[in-house]
Amino acid sequence: MNFFWVLALLIALRFGTWVDGFDAQKSSVRVHESNESVSKPLFVELTLIPSADSRGAVCTDGSLPGYHLHRGFGSGANSWLINLEGGGWCNNLRTCVFRKKSRHGSSNYMEKEIEFTGIMSDKPKENPDFFNWNRVKVRYCDGASFTGESENKQKGLFFRGQRIWQVAMEELMSKGMHLANQALLSGCSAGGLASIQHCDDFRALFATSTKVKCLSDAGLFLDALDVAGGRTLRSFFDGIVTLQGSGKNLPKTCTSRMGGTSCFFPQNVLSDIQTPAFILNSAYDAWQLQESLAPDKADPNGYWRECKHNHLNCTAEQIQFLQGFRDQMLNAVKGFSMPKQNGLFINSCFAHCQMENQDTWFAKNSPRIGNKGIAKAVGDWYFDRAEVKAIDCPYPCDNTCHNLQFRSRS
């Protein structure tokens, strides 16, 4: 992990903005094998959506939302992969004011071009099933996983995630997505949560003849007890839903049964999704371990500090607690996994987000369950080549993992 990433993480945590979507490529403790040949990286320019302003579909600071599009070709010319960016949330005025001066709250701070790797790569050796599709990264700048509908004029804050979702989809439809014969909505972390929340909305955009599915990577945030017996993440999600008005935009099949905060948790939405979906997740999600299960407030004496920064330092008692978290995750997807149309790849790695990192998506030493890696599992599921319900054995059985290690913030 380089100095600037550590500094950014420290600043974000100091001011209370929850940063998800750890950069696995920068944080991995393993030294991975390089690909057989070094190919030219693919950088894709940022495109802003001018029409968004008149619709009030703006980032937290009022700037225009945007996306990166790399056109498909050949057999993939009419196939579309939409990737919703992750990047945490803000749950109160203070953290949202901080966020609006970052790339996750303002397009003024977004990179003008980003590299497409993993599932976004245009090279068949790196991304065999989706390399020639139209691939789009929709930038995330609202702080509520593309669900908010509110504002705070006094602080100059706009919570317009739902409108951003709508104008982004309309923009892409006008760019040719309306002709799609195949489409896949994906997302990592906060974007993975959004891909679950918007899955059926995405399906509704297309003709019934279009093959439409959804993929969530590291988006299965659980309503779990922390190490002190509290519900850190529930409290945080409640702030998001209340401040940003997300409840009105969450799936009605869920909000008709329970409150908006409960429906922000994917586990309470999964069973209602009608569109085929795939859950890619670690059973020991590194972000949830650090910020939901063992946050500093729940661990004032620092008992969990070494464990959450490096799983090799966990005690037997701590591993037992984490096995309980794994059990909750498997229970949360039990109903979802029953229909043949849905897929699972839940490995036993201490990781967070695996589809955009080339090492974890498709490489010689990528994580595997049985004899199948992540890219092959997702491709088999999407193209109906095989039913995929892959659940890893409990830690420490998997020696293919790319685990994450983090420096202490003390």
Side-chain angles (χ1 to χ4, degrees), residues 149-162:
E149 181 52 64
S150 184
E151 66 180 72
N152 185 288
K153 293 182 179 179
Q154 184 179 4
K155 297 290 185 179
L157 297 171
F158 300 89
F159 306 122
R160 301 288 177 73
Q162 180 68 21

Side-chain angles (χ1 to χ4, degrees), residues 20-38:
D20 68 353
F22 287 134
D23 189 333
Q25 199 165 25
K26 294 179 181 177
S27 305
S28 179
V29 300
R30 294 184 55 170
V31 178
H32 310 311
E33 299 175 13
S34 61
N35 291 332
E36 290 182 357
S37 60
V38 178

Side-chain angles (χ1 to χ4, degrees), residues 30 88 111 114 177 182 238 247 250 255 271 319 330 344 355:
R30 294 184 55 170
E111 305 92 332
I114 61 173
M177 194 168 73
Q182 299 182 121
D238 185 61
L250 299 174
T255 55
S271 61
I319 292 296
L330 298 186
L344 290 173
M355 70 179 182

Side-chain angles (χ1 to χ4, degrees), residues 91-135:
N91 71 326
N92 56 42
L93 294 178
R94 179 176 60 87
T95 58
C96 291
V97 166
F98 174 78
R99 188 180 178 91
K100 77 175 186 176
K101 294 186 178 180
S102 76
R103 64 189 175 92
H104 290 311
S106 170
S107 58
N108 295 324
Y109 297 92
M110 291 178 185
E111 305 92 332
K112 300 309 177 187
E113 60 177 19
I114 61 173
E115 186 177 2
F116 275 18
T117 61
I119 196 173
M120 303 298 284
S121 172
D122 65 338
K123 302 168 183 64
K125 289 185 177 181
E126 298 177 353
N127 186 25
D129 282 318
F130 306 103
F131 72 95
N132 64 349
W133 284 33
N134 296 280
R135 284 151 291 109

Side-chain angles (χ1 to χ4, degrees), residues 111-250:
E111 305 92 332
K112 300 309 177 187
E113 60 177 19
I114 61 173
E115 186 177 2
F116 275 18
T117 61
I119 196 173
M120 303 298 284
S121 172
D122 65 338
K123 302 168 183 64
K125 289 185 177 181
E126 298 177 353
N127 186 25
D129 282 318
F130 306 103
F131 72 95
N132 64 349
W133 284 33
N134 296 280
R135 284 151 291 109
V136 184
K137 168 80 90 174
V138 179
R139 300 306 295 266
Y140 175 42
C141 63
D142 65 274
S145 290
F146 297 91
T147 65
E149 181 52 64
S150 184
E151 66 180 72
N152 185 288
K153 293 182 179 179
Q154 184 179 4
K155 297 290 185 179
L157 297 171
F158 300 89
F159 306 122
R160 301 288 177 73
Q162 180 68 21
R163 298 191 201 186
I164 292 173
W165 158 263
Q166 291 169 342
V167 300
M169 292 305 105
E170 290 172 10
E171 168 86 352
L172 296 174
M173 292 296 272
S174 73
K175 297 290 184 179
M177 194 168 73
H178 68 289
L179 299 173
N181 51 34
Q182 299 182 121
L184 176 62
L185 177 67
S186 67
C188 156
S189 205
L193 186 155
S195 71
I196 293 172
Q197 300 287 7
H198 286 295
C199 185
D200 285 341
D201 296 337
F202 188 66
R203 162 72 269 186
L205 296 173
F206 301 94
T208 55
S209 59
T210 305
K211 186 186 188 78
V212 181
K213 297 189 178 185
C214 305
L215 164 63
S216 172
D217 178 12
L220 189 56
F221 297 95
L222 296 185
D223 188 6
L225 292 175
D226 60 37
V227 296
R231 292 192 179 273
T232 295
L233 193 54
R234 168 166 278 273
S235 176
F236 193 88
F237 277 7
D238 185 61
I240 298 169
V241 172
T242 301
L243 176 67
Q244 301 208 35
S246 297
K248 68 191 76 167
N249 296 318
L250 299 174

